[in-house]
């Protein structure tokens, strides 16, 4: 046939296109089947505010309201979400979704943010824990209460009330729900909070040390060491404690009025405490940056340098490796962002779950007083005192029991008065010491010149001169002459005097405005 197109050999082009489409459909179906068989990846840090009932296929009205509220909260319409949740709780009090709805009400306030909204969210979470204490979601509610204060934390040099509240809530969560899957996250948050609190105490202690207030510095730094052992700068805190005790030992060595033996004993006590602080840096934090400084100080003090155990080396090495380095971007952002920088917080080890054991400055002062009494050799209260002979001076290891008296050198004017101790054979507190007798060897200040207790008589003060009242001249007295006649006041030259008042114009001058 003339109009018929010539046939090609084998399969025509239409059959080839059909076969290609079939192969593509078969390949696509295989890929889709493989994709369906592949399981989705689970998120490591799951969102606590996600809808746990999203995969539940239910057409019940309470479930419909709950899903509608979750969609509204996801879009940021928190007031609409709260209205739907409250409608569900009031309309269906026996619903199986009431527990999640009660928790979601707090989530709406938590996501809205702001001081007032976060306060309302805390109240909702506390109510949930009260009504459902045994529910698995109770741990989630307690965790979010801690997160409320964690988000409002300030820098270490600012207000620390939110940090203290966050620490209290995270501790309560760990103690109340030890089997919850949120425990690892709560522990890490608690480590971050304790890092901020420890940094605050350390900065205050170092400030006191720079002002040479060593008692207050030791109290602050000792609180850090005892309460926050996982602090990133614990070695620096211990090193500062040792330096404070060394400074007190130097102050004792140069202080006047202390006997030589007492001074040496008291100085040795302070140096022992400093060496104990340096040794703890080496034994507890052997991989810390300030270990070599502690070793150098012990060598300079001629004290033995301890060797850390393999267990302490492994423990501290794991702590140091878990910290993130403080980069330049972290320092820059720390100047402008609201909260603190906690990148150096440790990520291993159990944080402190006990109440902080604070060391107060009066406690350190009392300990220093006890050290001084031990150095002097003062007997304890109620202990018998070894008696001495009438002419024998008291022992050097006991404080002098002799009274104090005033002495004036002979030929003086009473200016060089000194305080000395009377001998043990004195009859009273005011009895003078006999000439030629041996003085007290423990006296802080020795007598100068012969002893004389007679003080010069006090001189009578000179009489004050008569007071003369001086009064300013009045206008009447200025115009009255010595002979009693009034003197006329001369007229003032108004042309020479300047006045701010304008003269009254007369005649045609009234028409001139200038």
């Amino acid at each position: 046939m003339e109009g018929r197109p010539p046939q090609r050999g084998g399969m025509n082009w239409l059959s080839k296109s059909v076969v290609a489409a079939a192969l593509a459909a078969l390949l696509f179906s295989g890929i889709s089947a493989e994709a369906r068989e592949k399981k989705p990846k689970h998120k490591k840090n799951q969102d606590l505010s996600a809808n746990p009932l999203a995969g539940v296929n239910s057409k019940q009205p309470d479930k419909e309201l709950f899903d509608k509220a979750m969609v509204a909260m996801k879009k940021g319409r928190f007031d609409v979400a709260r209205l739907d949740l409250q409608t569900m709780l009031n309309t269906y009090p026996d619903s199986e979704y009431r527990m999640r709805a009660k928790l979601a009400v707090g989530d709406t306030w938590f996501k809205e943010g702001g001081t007032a909204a976060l306060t309302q969210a805390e109240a909702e979470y506390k109510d949930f824990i009260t009504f459902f204490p045994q529910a698995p979601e109770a741990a989630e509610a307690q965790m979010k209460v801690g997160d409320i204060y964690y988000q409002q934390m300030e820098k270490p040099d600012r207000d620390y009330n939110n940090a203290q509240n966050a620490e209290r809530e995270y501790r309560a969560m760990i103690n109340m729900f030890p089997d919850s899957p949120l425990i690892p996250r709560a522990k890490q948050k608690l480590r971050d909070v304790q890092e901020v609190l420890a940094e605050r105490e350390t900065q205050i202690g170092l400030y006191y040390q720079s002002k040479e207030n060593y008692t207050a510095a030791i109290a602050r730094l000792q609180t850090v060491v005892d309460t926050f052992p996982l602090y990133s700068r614990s070695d620096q805190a211990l090193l500062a404690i040792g330096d404070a005790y060394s400074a007190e030992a130097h102050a004792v060595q140069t202080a006047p009025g202390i006997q030589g033996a007492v001074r040496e004993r008291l100085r040795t006590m302070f140096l022992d405490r400093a060496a104990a602080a340096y040794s703890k840096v080496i034994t507890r934090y052997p991989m810390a940056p300030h270990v070599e400084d502690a070793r150098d100080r012990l060598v300079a003090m001629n004290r033995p340098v301890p060797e850390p155990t393999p267990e302490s080396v492994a423990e501290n090495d794991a702590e140091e490796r878990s910290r993130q380095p403080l980069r330049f971007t972290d320092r820059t952002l720390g100047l402008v962002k609201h909260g603190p920088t906690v990148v150096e917080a440790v990520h291993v080890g159990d944080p402190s779950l006990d109440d902080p054991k604070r060391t107060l400055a009066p406690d350190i002062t009392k300990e220093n007083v006890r050290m001084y009494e031990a150095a002097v050799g003062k007997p304890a209260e109620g202990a018998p005192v070894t008696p001495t002979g009438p002419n024998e001076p008291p022992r050097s290891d006991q404080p002098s029991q002799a009274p104090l008296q005033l002495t004036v050198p002979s030929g003086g004017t009473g200016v060089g008065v000194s305080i000395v101790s009377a001998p043990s054979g004195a009859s009273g507190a005011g009895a003078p010491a006999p000439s030629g007798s041996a003085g007290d060897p423990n006296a802080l200040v020795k007598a100068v010149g012969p002893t004389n207790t007679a003080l010069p008589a006090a001189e009578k003060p000179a009489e004050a001169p008569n007071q003369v009242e001086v009064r300013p001249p009045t206008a009447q007295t200025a115009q009255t002459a010595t002979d009693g006649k009034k003197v006329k006041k001369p007229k003032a030259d108004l042309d020479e005097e300047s006045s701010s008042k304008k003269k009254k114009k007369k005649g045609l001058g009234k028409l001139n405005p200038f």
Side-chain angles (χ1 to χ4, degrees):
M1 298 176 66
E2 296 180 358
R4 186 177 182 180
Q7 295 184 358
R8 301 175 183 178
M11 191 178 300
N12 57 7
W13 62 274
L14 183 59
S15 301
K16 289 182 179 180
S17 61
V18 172
V19 173
L23 290 175
L26 181 61
L27 180 62
F28 179 76
S29 62
I31 294 176
S32 60
E34 183 181 356
R36 286 195 300 269
E37 293 177 357
K38 188 176 180 181
K39 297 181 179 179
K41 295 182 180 179
H42 295 283
K43 295 182 180 180
K44 293 183 179 180
N45 297 328
Q46 58 181 353
D47 187 9
L48 297 180
S49 301
N51 184 4
L53 306 176
V56 178
N57 295 324
S58 176
K59 298 300 181 180
Q60 299 177 2
D62 52 350
K63 178 64 168 55
E64 292 291 337
L65 282 173
F66 184 83
D67 292 340
K68 182 181 176 182
M70 292 296 102
V71 172
M73 184 170 61
K74 186 177 181 179
K75 293 182 179 180
R77 303 169 61 186
F78 304 111
D79 51 350
V80 176
R82 281 194 294 270
L83 182 61
D84 293 338
L85 292 172
Q86 291 294 345
T87 302
M88 175 196 157
L89 291 174
N90 297 332
T91 309
Y92 308 98
D94 298 331
S95 174
E96 58 182 334
Y97 307 120
R98 68 185 186 281
M99 185 168 56
R100 293 300 311 184
K102 181 69 175 175
L103 185 61
V105 172
D107 293 340
T108 58
W109 291 110
F110 182 79
K111 284 181 170 293
E112 184 175 348
T115 304
L118 291 177
T119 304
Q120 190 67 27
E122 180 185 1
E124 294 290 342
Y125 290 141
K126 292 291 186 181
D127 291 343
F128 181 86
I129 297 173
T130 303
F131 286 108
F132 308 99
Q134 303 299 330
E137 290 81 0
E140 179 182 342
Q142 182 63 35
M143 183 72 186
K144 288 183 178 179
V145 173
D147 292 342
I148 289 173
Y149 292 109
Y150 186 87
Q151 292 181 0
Q152 302 179 81
M153 276 198 315
E154 299 282 352
K155 292 180 174 62
D157 57 345
R158 306 291 176 86
D159 186 14
Y160 64 101
N161 287 328
N162 289 325
Q164 284 185 332
N165 294 333
E167 182 188 24
R168 182 186 68 250
E169 299 299 337
Y170 285 134
R171 283 178 174 176
M173 188 267 173
I174 296 173
N175 294 327
M176 292 169 58
F177 311 99
D179 300 331
S180 174
L182 299 175
I183 289 295
R185 182 186 172 190
K187 287 186 176 181
Q188 184 55 43
K189 292 287 186 179
L190 183 57
R191 296 188 196 101
D192 296 343
V193 173
Q194 291 182 351
E195 179 79 11
V196 176
L197 293 174
E199 180 67 21
R200 173 184 177 273
E201 294 288 334
T202 303
Q203 289 182 4
I204 297 175
L206 295 178
Y207 172 78
Y208 282 137
Q209 188 180 19
S210 64
K211 297 300 181 181
E212 297 184 359
N213 190 351
Y214 301 116
T215 302
I218 292 172
R220 293 283 184 169
L221 297 172
Q222 193 65 42
T223 301
V224 174
V225 173
D226 296 339
T227 311
F228 311 109
L230 298 179
Y231 174 49
S232 59
R233 296 183 179 85
S234 295
D235 56 332
Q236 184 180 0
L238 284 169
L239 200 70
I241 291 175
D243 294 343
Y245 279 121
S246 298
E248 288 190 345
H250 179 71
V252 168
Q253 187 177 6
T254 59
I258 303 180
Q259 303 175 25
V262 175
R263 178 186 292 111
E264 289 300 324
R265 286 195 292 268
L266 191 58
R267 177 176 175 272
T268 303
M269 291 180 183
F270 281 118
L271 291 180
D272 291 342
R273 301 210 167 200
Y278 296 146
S279 300
K280 189 173 181 180
V281 176
I282 301 174
T283 56
R284 175 60 182 87
Y285 306 99
M287 305 300 294
H290 294 280
V291 173
E292 295 301 327
D293 297 336
R295 284 197 177 96
D296 295 341
R297 283 168 170 77
L298 288 175
V299 171
M301 295 168 59
N302 294 327
R303 297 299 178 97
V305 180
E307 290 295 332
T309 60
E311 292 79 8
S312 62
V313 172
E315 179 183 4
N316 189 240
D317 183 61
E319 294 173 357
E320 294 297 328
R321 289 179 181 274
S322 67
R323 306 183 195 276
Q324 298 179 6
L326 189 62
R327 298 170 296 181
F328 176 76
T329 55
D330 298 328
R331 297 179 184 273
T332 306
L333 293 177
L335 299 176
V336 295
K337 74 174 187 177
H338 174 75
T341 302
V342 293
V343 296
E344 291 184 306
V346 69
H347 289 261
V348 296
D350 294 331
S352 177
L353 300 178
D354 301 329
D355 293 334
K357 179 183 178 182
R358 298 194 60 85
T359 303
L360 304 179
D363 300 336
I364 303 297
T365 303
K366 293 177 182 178
E367 187 65 24
N368 292 341
V369 171
R370 287 192 291 267
M371 291 170 59
Y372 178 78
E373 292 176 352
V376 173
K378 181 179 179 180
E381 297 182 0
V385 181
T386 305
T388 56
N391 296 326
E392 181 181 357
R395 289 162 40 183
S396 60
D397 58 345
Q398 296 182 358
S400 175
Q401 304 295 332
L404 300 178
Q405 60 181 1
L406 297 175
T407 60
V408 181
S410 60
T413 60
V415 178
V417 180
S418 59
I419 302 177
V420 299
S421 296
S424 58
S427 58
S435 60
S437 62
D440 186 5
N442 292 330
L444 300 180
V445 183
K446 302 298 181 181
V448 180
T451 304
N452 183 16
T453 58
L455 297 177
E459 298 181 359
K460 183 180 180 181
E463 295 181 359
N466 297 331
Q467 296 182 359
V468 178
E469 184 178 1
V470 180
R471 297 181 178 179
T474 59
Q476 182 178 1
T477 57
Q479 296 178 2
T480 304
T482 55
D483 54 354
K485 296 181 179 180
K486 292 185 178 181
V487 180
K488 294 184 179 180
K489 184 178 180 181
K491 295 183 179 180
D493 190 359
L494 300 180
D495 296 336
E496 297 181 357
E497 293 184 358
S498 61
S499 176
S500 60
K501 296 182 179 180
K502 295 183 179 180
K503 298 180 180 180
K504 188 175 181 180
K505 296 181 180 181
K506 299 180 179 180
L508 296 178
K510 296 181 179 181
L511 302 178
N512 186 7
F514 302 101

